[in-house]
Amino acid sequence: MDLRSAVESGWEHQLELLRALVRSPSLLGSERDAQELVAAELADIGLSPQMWDVGSHGPGSSPPLLDYTRRPNVTAIRRGAGRGRSLTFNGHIDVVPVGVEANWSYDPWGAAIEGGRMYGRGAADMKAGVVAMLGALRALRNVELGGTLCVETVIEEECTGNGAAACRARGPRTDAALIPEPFNHLALEAQVGVLWATVTVEGRAAHAERADQADNALVKALPVIEAIRALEREVNADAAFYGHPHPLNYNVGVARAGDWASSVPEQCVLEVRLAALPGEDLAAVRARFEAAVDARVEWRGFQADGFTLAREEPLFDVLGRAHTAVHGAPLEFLAFTGTTDARAFVVHDATPATCYGPIGGNLHAPDEWVDLESVRATTLVLALAAAEWCAIP
Ligand SMILES: [Zn+2]
């Protein structure tokens, strides 16, 4: 059976798996149930999956946000004939929170299908990609490969990257990696660096009857936020990143202050996402931020370098041929103003890695969706690319 037919015959099974994964809310700290679904699928494909807790984080890891007990990565290895290049399929199992559930038209954990799309938190980012790479592995079951094919589903892509970093520390190292993030069939050729800062503004509590004489931390946070926005304008003024007009987004993502309308808030905590250009020294980015912000700053979560990849990478040739075979058009590229786990390979393990995956929308927003036909197409592209990359020379 050729790969196209193999992908076709596995499609209904893939769809069921995607449904089950989207219905498993693998939020930060709750990744295990979804990882067990992945492990069961890998076993069904005929591999021997390992589930292991992310203990040592390895090079390129970030300051953790919470404990790693019972929050496993899943890895499996399909050994090749011994000659030929090796490849890793990497995908993240974690998803970001739902936000305001009333703003969703669909149950965020319902995996509803309508008009060729599946809706749900994580449907696009990136359970569809995980299902595509598992479908590719299944389609390749009876294809002889020279090089070893590794697969991993990791935790914490959305906050530290420590799941992927732990995989690099554990090995094995392969000659390249593919990550099916939902980038609309574009190949990732660059991404910015991302840093998370926790900014604490202190005030002084009081009964609201004498609020005029107290020190409201929430109100004091407003000029801090303005200072962050001013710094964002400054760093973007001369930032060059693939012609992008505003590559470095500084996002005040969380503000926590107060617990009672008649009490003056004594503390306001802001969680801020910063960005940096590829090659920029993260320590300098941190120092610039601390100098601009009149408050206590701690660095927890992402401390992630950006990178660029040359289009001459052989990985792009192989991926491009697979893409063209399926879509009848040349592969196009993406420079991403966010981060992905590709940096664990490219920056910290000297391994070329790119993202290539299905079409999706509303990532990190209500009514996240993935186009199901594009998941099927991605599955075939990944299978073709792996078959060529890992072929017996
Ligand atoms: Zn993602």
Side-chain angles (χ1 to χ4, degrees), residues 31-350:
E31 305 90 346
R32 189 179 183 90
D33 287 354
Q35 290 289 53
E36 279 174 356
L37 291 172
V38 171
E41 174 67 8
L42 287 168
D44 194 57
I45 291 169
L47 301 174
S48 304
Q50 298 203 305
M51 290 183 73
W52 46 278
D53 283 345
V54 175
S56 70
H57 310 140
S61 61
S62 303
L65 302 168
L66 78 163
D67 189 77
Y68 286 102
T69 318
R70 289 185 56 79
R71 303 179 50 221
N73 281 342
V74 176
T75 53
I77 298 174
R78 187 199 143 159
R79 300 237 172 257
R83 293 164 290 127
R85 295 174 292 195
S86 54
L87 181 70
T88 297
F89 283 143
N90 164 295
H92 66 86
I93 203 69
D94 56 314
V95 300
V96 299
V98 163
V100 180
E101 200 162 334
N103 289 344
W104 285 69
S105 314
Y106 300 87
D107 175 356
W109 312 113
I113 295 178
E114 200 179 304
R117 294 173 170 182
M118 184 184 286
Y119 290 86
R121 173 57 78 235
D125 188 11
M126 64 167 284
K127 284 169 174 171
V130 165
V131 164
M133 71 192 200
L134 294 173
L137 273 175
R138 182 178 286 276
L140 287 162
R141 257 186 316 180
N142 301 314
V143 176
E144 211 188 341
L145 297 178
T148 293
L149 193 48
C150 295
V151 58
E152 59 193 43
T153 54
V154 302
I155 64 168
E156 290 205 358
E157 189 273 348
E158 298 283 7
C159 58
T160 63
N162 289 352
C167 283
R168 307 285 68 70
R170 182 183 173 101
R173 188 150 165 258
T174 55
D175 296 316
L178 281 175
I179 306 178
E181 290 276 9
F183 288 160
N184 307 331
H185 304 319
L186 302 172
L188 180 84
E189 63 174 332
Q191 64 185 41
V192 299
V194 168
L195 305 89
W196 277 14
T198 303
V199 178
T200 305
V201 180
E202 301 289 352
R204 198 159 38 82
H207 191 292
E209 55 86 20
R210 49 175 300 277
D212 58 322
Q213 299 154 54
D215 201 5
N216 186 319
L218 178 51
V219 173
K220 278 175 77 179
L222 298 177
V224 172
I225 293 172
E226 275 316 310
I228 293 168
R229 290 164 61 85
L231 179 61
E232 181 191 29
R233 283 191 292 275
E234 184 189 317
V235 298
N236 277 284
D238 56 355
F241 184 71
Y242 294 80
H244 203 288
H246 193 277
L248 304 175
N249 288 302
Y250 281 26
N251 182 58
V252 182
V254 176
R256 272 191 308 273
D259 55 8
W260 200 252
S262 287
S263 303
V264 174
E266 60 198 302
Q267 194 175 65
C268 180
V269 177
L270 307 174
E271 292 180 21
V272 186
R273 178 267 206 198
L274 289 70
L277 292 171
E280 212 175 347
D281 175 25
L282 298 189
V285 175
R286 285 189 284 261
R288 186 172 61 200
F289 185 79
E290 287 171 9
V293 167
D294 183 20
R296 187 168 85 245
V297 180
E298 292 157 286
W299 300 94
R300 297 189 310 137
F302 281 130
Q303 305 299 321
D305 287 288
F307 68 82
T308 60
L309 269 181
R311 289 195 186 177
E312 291 69 38
E313 281 290 346
L315 179 61
F316 286 136
D317 293 339
V318 171
L319 182 62
R321 273 190 290 278
H323 172 87
T324 302
V326 174
H327 294 281
L331 182 64
E332 293 182 64
F333 292 84
L334 169 72
F336 186 45
T337 56
T339 188
T340 74
D341 274 340
R343 76 179 176 284
F345 297 90
V346 177
V347 181
H348 303 289
D349 212 18

